[in-house]
Amino acid sequence: MNATPEQIDVTENALLDGRVRLRQPARGYRAGMDAALLAAACPARPGERVLEAGCGAGAVLMQIAARRPGVTLAGLERDAAMAGLAADNAALNGWGERIAVHQGDVAAGFRALGLEPFDWAVSNPPFFDDPAALRAPAPGKRGAWMADDGLAAWTGFLLKSVKEGGRIVMIHRADRLADLLALLGDKAGSIAVRPVHPYADEPAKRVLVHAIKTGRAPLRLLPPVILHDRDGAKHSAEAEAILRGEAEIGW
């Protein structure tokens, strides 16, 4: 039986320099830099609608809502307890009317939601789809780390969820970039990629990928995001500005 939000041991954390309150599980998957990067990379305009696939407790949704006051949002989450927690976080921040959270599975497809296509769809899909590729994650993290239906199910869902000319933003492992380009390129184009490096002199471990449904412009490889300097600071000035909500990642 799935736990309910009331049965989960949670902590409350402040994001975007205190502009967002986020209640999330004390153990298991916890939102961090990836969520901050994804939210910063969705420059939706007032009046536009944004969908997040696999929203968890709502860290990305809440940060987009804080960054983009005129935007309405929806989240899809398979885990009932996490979906409930995301809805609770929307209410906690006073955005209950702007953010709708739906419980459901990406594998069921976008049509199962009965919603009109969105202007934007964003996602931080589970990073692995082969159980043999890594040591089994802790039970509390499995849903966030393992894509049971494969990366193709996630890209297919995102492509269906946006209107023509709609935009998709994903963050994923850098070594899956070729797969992302192939899967998104089936129905989208005008793809732009931002590598995310832990340090300027180390290989990228993440990529942010932006695609436009039915877009036709050539692929662009944009300047990277560097997360840390070697001067002893916890984050680079760029990463710190993103975490505080003072900077965004443009396309």
Side-chain angles (χ1 to χ4, degrees), residues 96-121:
E97 295 185 358
R98 288 181 60 201
I99 301 175
V101 180
H102 305 268
Q103 185 192 350
D105 198 326
V106 164
F110 176 70
R111 287 185 180 179
L113 292 177
L115 301 174
E116 292 295 318
F118 287 74
D119 302 289
W120 291 79

Side-chain angles (χ1 to χ4, degrees), residues 39-57:
C42 179
R45 295 172 296 187
E48 292 187 325
R49 298 165 61 242
V50 178
L51 172 69
E52 183 189 5
C55 67

Side-chain angles (χ1 to χ4, degrees), residues 182-203:
L183 291 166
L184 290 171
D186 183 45
K187 300 287 184 182
S190 305
I191 294 174
V193 179
R194 282 195 184 273
V196 181
H197 297 252
Y199 293 92
D201 58 355
E202 291 188 3

Side-chain angles (χ1 to χ4, degrees), residues 3-84:
T4 65
E6 295 77 14
Q7 295 172 322
I8 299 174
D9 184 17
V10 301
T11 62
E12 183 173 314
N13 304 99
L15 305 179
L16 296 186
D17 208 22
R19 291 159 59 195
V20 170
R21 297 168 63 189
L22 183 76
R23 293 177 181 168
Q24 58 181 333
R27 295 174 297 277
Y29 178 80
R30 291 172 59 81
M33 180 60 78
D34 288 351
L37 293 171
L38 184 59
C42 179
R45 295 172 296 187
E48 292 187 325
R49 298 165 61 242
V50 178
L51 172 69
E52 183 189 5
C55 67
V60 175
L61 291 174
M62 304 308 137
Q63 291 182 82
I64 294 175
R67 285 173 168 276
R68 302 289 168 180
V71 168
T72 57
L73 304 105
L76 176 68
E77 174 54 45
R78 180 172 67 175
D79 185 282
M82 290 298 98

Side-chain angles (χ1 to χ4, degrees), residues 14 144 148 175 187 197 234 247:
D148 292 328
D175 63 355
K187 300 287 184 182
H197 297 252
K234 185 175 182 181

